[in-house]
Structures are given as structure tokens and as C-alpha cells.
Amino acid sequence: MSSSAKLDPAFQGAGQRVGTEIWRIENFQPVPLPKSECGKFYMGDCYIVLQTTQGKGGAYLFDIHFWIGKDSSQDEAGTAAIKTVELDAVLGGRAVQHRELQGHESDKFLSYFKPCIIPLEGGVASGFKKPEEEEFEPRLYICKGKRIVRMKQVPFARSSLNHDDVFILDTQSKIYQFNGANSNIQERAKALEVIQFLKEKYHEGVCDVAIIDDGKLDTESDSGEFWVLFGGFAPIGKKVISEDEVIPEATPAKFYSITDGQVKIVEGELSKSLLENNKCYLVDCGAEVFVWIGRVTQVEERKAAIQVAEEFVSSQNRPKSTRITRLIQGYETRSFKSNFDSWPSGSAAPANEEGRGKVAAMLKQQGVGVKGMTKSTPVNEEVPPLLEGGGKMEVWRINGSAKTPLPAEDIGKFYSGDCYIVLSTYHSGDRKEDYFLCSWFGKNSIEEDQKMATRLANTMFNSLKGRPVQGRIFQDKEPPQFVALFQPMVVLKGGLSSGYKKCIADKGLVDETYMTDSVALIRISGTSVHNNKTVQVDAVATSLNSTECFILQSGSSIFTWHGNQCTFEQQQLAAKVAEFLKPGVALKHAKEGTESSSFWFPLGGKQSYTSKKVALEILRDPHLFTFSFTKGKFQVEEVYNFSQDDLLTEDILILDTHAEVFVWVGQSVDSKEKQNAFEIGQKYIEMAASIDGLSPNIPLYKVTEGNEPCFFTTYFSWDHLKAIAQGNSFQKKVALLFGIGHAVEDKSSGNQGGATQRASALAALSSAFNPSSGKSSNAALEKSNGSNQGGHRQRAEALAALNAAFTSSSGTKSAAPRSSIAGQGSQRAAAVAALSSVLTAEKKQSRDPSPTPSNSSPPPETNPTEIPREVPLVKEAVEAAAVSQNNGEDSEPKQETVPEDNGSESGQTFTYDQLKAKSDNPATGIDLKRREAYLSDEEFQTIFGMTKGAFCKLPKWKRDMQKKKVDLF
């Protein structure tokens, strides 16, 4: 690798911290881009983007993208590709490299710049135009994408519009969203985020917004204004697919070797064993072409392999959107590995460490700083939030086709030959009852009992109206939130079910089922409420361990044995378990090295045993996926840099944290699909087990929208207002962004409770028009929302109540109010019109009881919806809607949202040494849960490697993990 001497100094220190770094190619050299320019891409330039993330165990992972503007030169593009390889060498030769063509960027690249990127004209060579130098011209964009938005500017003409897409027209005083009649609900919702982005970035947050619905013309509304800008209303044409819009099809993978700049097809079945570590290969999957690089190849070979791939794609006249991705051995992506029937984990990891060490040593000689080259320090287990205690606990053991309830004194005892159903009813904050429903499968249980447990648990789930978090848990894979339910949890040998007894009798096996008078050795290894599971082990001396405690039961005698390296918590738990198994029994204590013969005799005599601590590390690495069935094959697609906004109510998604798998089910999902959630999760686990080494017995949960538990929401920056918003994706987004919106459809409950809802709505209306008479009814709302803002606020409450009371599945919607400065007369007229509209819809629904399906786009509005300039606060409007819809029920729990500022309230700062949890000179008068807030900005950057603002944007579980690493938790 002698060519490493040419590594560019512009890359010095790259990849030192989590985040995004960008270089622009200027005069064929990479120049770092200031953070203020991050997200700006000029069509005449090429850029290199480095994204550094933290993977399992804390090791840094790198993705390098080189972005090629459509007006850039071929030489600039070539420079970007070559410099990308050099940057990879600085990072230890283990980054995944991606080629990004303007207009055809990958989802992963666009996820760094949410909600979208809008390339600007110009570049280094031709000069940059500043916004103030340009006269504002209306721009028309087509907006595509449900989660990742692709914006494309199209000619400002009626001929650009069609019925299938969503368009944004940005004018100086108003931004219009045009929803094609056949456009996707989720794309409509995402376009609203883009409008907010445009409003803040190019209009200083001050401009009107209007939504125009295809086919609805009202000359006196925004619809009329919109069509005037296009020269008047006229029919629009059908969508025409351009060459740039052709999406390449995924094809079965073809395998090629790359030798001396030539590709040669390799026949036979695609197998990992074909990949040799001193060669380069090309895997052609149609829509994406992968270049695989062996770990001992030279830098020049790697550069040549990328050029070969580009020539390969261009020679076949592939669509521009064909992606090229380069991977290094040992750092293959899931999308690459999924082309192989299986991806067995081999002994590649140590070799990777050796390879990185060699590269690090070589680069150190060249004076180049390298980050993350040595093996990272393992991260201790991160414990997710646990369910609140004090609730009702019920446990049933499966016996044949029935479930037998356990008496209270036996709750916590599990036999490895049995299956159980556990139902925990608890209260989360001041919310109504929540449920945690799990099936537990002993490792020796029979298949019939497992199936019966699943069937009976599903029946219980349906009887509770689909509200519980439902889990499937295998012995030895119990998650912390399950273990914490039992104080203590003891897993015993054998089983009590008739099916298990028959099975061992048929096989002629000895029944080892635990009995209160038998010889039994029980291991105590837990140290905290979330891991205090105890397990019966073989009653022999070799089962002992100096780092743990044990209970030895022999007839009527019980010994507690304390290893020399055990903890005080283990000793306490041992006494608790002994009392649980045999209440009131007198304990005999045996400390390691002082045991009597009466202790060794039941174990068959004294033998040597281990003193090594068993470290069961659980490293969480969350990834979110959508899924599809393509020609009968189950496939997933990752949602990169995911957030709560990606949980779309019409979808089912899979969250894999590497410690558990969640299947999240949106409220608007078809009822038949909802029933398949566990089957979908199982298919994912089978696939991930073959290519990622995921345990096939990993805990699996089904979580329904609106019932997300704390151990799920911890992987998001969870916003309670988003969780309680009603309607489809578009309706939710309108309500959240602007505080008002289309009427919300309640697909799940139909028109139940109509009389009560109507009374609530009329009371809210009366309050809006006669403030003095509404004091009592407003009191609860003021308590929930925190303040009283007069008519402004009352009108929001009245509209929220109307939405909840009168929306119907027929989809007729009331028009939004035009402005907050409208007079009392117009307010009353608007309310009467809304009331009339919804009552008409209700009457129509009573004639036709069959609901109207809504699976592609929302029904047309009565009038185009306008978003007024001054609207009630989002929080107020949404909370008001929630209060009226709950109709007197307890409100939802308040989830933690990410603070905008991480400074101490008093502005007081302390040194890092004073703030540490184990400080010799601790700071006083501080919030111990926010120790990091009292660091100075400079010391915070040094300790955490990021600014306070960047830290605040991390999900809570990541913030807690970072704080634990530096003793600030």
C-alpha cells in the first residue's frame, strides 16, 4: 500500500466523532464544507459525504457517499470517486462506499438531510448565486416518497401536473400543495413536512399555506388563486413516465470476478465461500451493483474496481438510478448478504482486527490520524425502561387444551418443560389500564403446548380489543422487562403438564421435575431487578462458580452457598429465593472454602469448578424495516435514521434492536393483516438468523399504534402529541403541523357513543360562542392544556370536539376556518356550516351502513383546505382533540420529549470531576438525573465528542448509554 503516502491532508481527523462530514471537490481537491453549508448541494459540483455511526459494542461504522451534480464534469466526478477510496484508507479501509447521482440518490444518503435536499444551480467553476441576488421566481416541484422525499423541480406549467403525484408550488407569498386525485396519502403527508421546510428556509417562517385538491374548483378560494397562476383552470393530462423516472428492476444476482480491469462471470450457486480475501468481485442485482473488496487488496486495486463497476453499468445502458455500492470484506451490508442463501459467521472478525491494525500502523508512519482502528471496549448492557410495578399479575400454565391459573404463591415459578401465559395489568402514569401479555416457552416444552399457548394468548389479546403489548418469549432469552415482573423468577427442571409427562414417558427418560423434597441446586447470578432470574442446574459440584451464589436443597435442609467473588445483592437474592421455594425454612450458610461434608454429599462429593464470570452482554443496535413479499419471497428494506414520523398508521414495521424484535402495527392497517403480525415477525427472524446471526429464540413483540410501551418508545425521540393524533397519515400531519385539519375518521369504533359525543361537541360549541357559560366545562381542558387563551383557544376546542363527534367513514369533511381574525358572525357561520356538513354525513351513513374502504387516498373534501396564517398552537389543538375524543377517560401518559436545550436552568457549571457519579468532590444542589447539563460547552464537547444540541437530539436510550460510559448517569 505504498500509495498511502498520497493520502490527502484534507481528510486528517475524519471520522473522529458520530455525525456527518462533507467535502466539496474544488480544483480537483477535497475542501471541507463548513457546517453552515451542510445540506446545500450545487448542480455543478461533486461532493464527498462521510457518515459516522456507532454500531454494536460502540465501534464506529462508516458510510462514504460521493455525490455527482448533473452539471459537473467527468473529471470532477472521477476525482470524487478516487478521493473516496483515499478517505476510506484513512478510516482503516472498512467503509461502505456509495455513488450518488443527482436525482437518483439512495434512501440512506437522503436520510442524512431530512426532510429533503433541493440542489441549487451553479457551482465552484461558474460561481454561486446568493439568494439575495436572485429575484424570487415561482417554482413547481414534484414530491415523491413516503418516508424519504425526492424533490424534483419541473417546468412551471399546467402540463407538468398530473393526477397521480403530489406537487408543491412555491410562490413569494404562499406555498400551495396540489394533491393529485390518485396520489398516495403518505406522500401527501410527507409533502407537508417539505412545505414547513420551505417556509422556514426561504420565507423566514412567514407565508400562507394552502392545500389544493385535484378536481375541486372554487373560484373564490385558494383553488381559484392556484389555477389563475397557471392561466386558468383546465383539465390536466395523464402522467408521462420520463427516462429519468424508470426504476430498474431487481434481478437474481449474477456473480463476476474482477481481474486486471476486466469482469468475468462466475457460474454456479452464489456462496460466501467464493469470496477470496485477495480479490475483488462484482455482484449485479439489477437495481444495485455491488463491488466486494477482499481485505488484503491494495489501494490501487480498490480504485480500479470502482472504475470497472462504473464502466460495467454504463456499457449496458442501465437506468441512471442504478446504484453502485462498494463493500470491504467483513463489513458487508444486509442488502448485500440477502443475495446469498445464507451468510455463515466465520472467523473473519479476528482477521479484520489484524488487518485494521496493519493499516493503522502504516498510516501512523505517514502521520495520518486514524480513528476506531483498534478493537473497541465492550459496552455494558443497557437496560431499557421497565414497566411500572404495583399492577395486577396473572399467570396460567398450559395443560392440554386448557390453561390453569397459578396460585399467587407460585407466580414466579417456571418449569422448563411447560408453557405459560403471563398477563400484567399496569398503569402508565395517569393513563387508563395497559396490558403486557406474553407467552413463555420452556426449552423442553412440547410443540403442542407451545401452539396452544399461542392460540389462547391470541384469544385473550382479542378479548382485550387488541390493546395489549403481546410477546413471545423463550427460556434463556427473557428480556429485562419480563424478568422484572417477578420478584423473584425461578426456572426449575422438568414440567407438570400432561403433554410433557407423556412425552418423557414415551421416550423412556427420567423425570427430573423439581420437587420440594428432592436434591436441587439453584444458581443465583442476578444483581438487579431486571436480571434476577435464577435457574436450577445439575446438582453436581462442577456447576458451582466463585462469582455467584447457589441454593442447595437436600430433603428438608437448604444451604445458601456464597462464592468468594459474589456480590451482596446476590446474597440477598439467594435468601429471598430460598424463602420463596420453602417459606419459613431455616437456612444453613456455606461460604466458599468452609463447606462441611453435609454440603458436598448431595452433590456427589467435592470437585473443581470455575471462577470465571459469565458475561451475558446484550448489545442493542436498533434498525427499523419495512417489508414486502416479492414473488413469494419475504424481503425487507431498512428505514435509515428512523424517527417516530416513520411509523405510518397505514403500515406494519419491524424494529430489530438485536436484543428483541418488535412488529409495530398501525391503526389503519387492514384487520386481516393485523392478525399476521407474529407470522411476519417470525419470517423476519428466520431471515435475520441466516444472514445476520440473530438468535432464532429472540423475544418477539406485537405492538399496536397508540399502545406503545416504554421499552419500545425508548428507541425514538417520542412525542406524545404525535402518538395521540387521529386519522390517516395526511390528516395527522395537517393537525400536528398546523393545528387544524380535515375531519378525522375513526375507522375502529364506527359511530359508537354518538349521543354522548354530540352532547360534548354542542357543549364545546356553546362555550366557544358564550364564554361566560362555558367556565365549568373549560376547567378540565385548561387543566390539561395549561392556560386559557380566550376565543382563540375555545374555537380550537370546539373544532376538536366537532371532529371527534361527527366525522364518519363516508369521508365528508368540514372546511377549515380561514383565519383567526374572523369576526364573531363568520365564526358562528363556519360552525353552523361544519355542524350541517357532519350531520348530513351522519344521516347519509345511516342509510348506507357499509363503511367506505380507504386504502389509497383520502376522499375528496367539500372545499379545498386552506391553512391560515395565524393558527392555534399545535399542542393546544391536538390535546383539545384528544380530550374531547377520550370523552372523560383518563388522559394518555406524558412521554419524554427531547429538550431543545441541555443547559442547566441556573446557568451554573461544574467541572467534569465534580459531576461524576463517583466523584471525590461532588457538586451539590444539582439535578442528579441531568449531571451533563452542568458541564461547560467546551468540556461537554470534549467529554461527549458532540455539542449539547446534537446530544439532545439523540434518543433517550442513546443519551443514557453515553452518560453511563462517562460516569454521568
Side-chain angles (χ1 to χ4, degrees), residues 263-389:
V263 294
K264 182 180 180 182
I265 193 163
V266 178
E267 301 291 350
E269 188 177 343
L270 195 56
S271 168
K272 182 183 178 183
S273 60
L274 296 173
L275 303 169
E276 299 181 32
N277 63 9
N278 62 344
K279 292 183 179 179
C280 301
Y281 297 91
L282 185 148
V283 179
D284 180 10
C285 302
E288 186 167 14
V289 173
F290 295 96
V291 180
W292 184 90
I293 307 291
R295 66 173 179 267
V296 297
T297 50
Q298 303 296 312
V299 170
E300 293 304 326
E301 289 180 88
R302 300 179 181 191
K303 290 179 181 179
I306 288 290
Q307 292 174 341
V308 167
E310 292 187 357
E311 291 169 4
F312 176 83
V313 169
S314 60
S315 67
Q316 299 193 6
N317 294 320
R318 296 285 184 90
K320 291 181 180 179
S321 53
T322 303
R323 298 188 301 278
I324 297 178
T325 304
R326 194 227 68 167
L327 318 106
I328 192 72
Q329 182 181 5
Y331 295 90
E332 296 85 357
T333 62
R334 176 188 293 263
S335 57
F336 175 80
K337 291 188 286 189
S338 66
N339 293 293
F340 297 74
D341 287 337
S342 65
W343 190 267
S345 54
S347 57
N352 288 340
E353 299 298 336
E354 177 189 356
R356 290 205 297 276
K358 289 180 179 177
V359 175
M362 178 273 296
L363 291 175
K364 190 173 181 180
Q365 291 178 350
Q366 303 296 332
V368 178
V370 180
K371 175 67 178 176
M373 298 292 291
T374 56
K375 191 170 184 178
S376 61
T377 303
V379 179
N380 292 330
E381 177 186 351
E382 299 302 325
V383 183
L386 306 176
L387 299 177
E388 294 189 16

Side-chain angles (χ1 to χ4, degrees), residues 334 338 625-628 634-638 654 684 687:
R334 176 188 293 263
S338 66
F625 300 93
T626 61
F627 71 92
S628 62
F634 180 80
Q635 295 182 326
V636 298
E637 190 170 334
E638 184 164 359
I654 299 164
Y684 171 80
M687 183 198 71

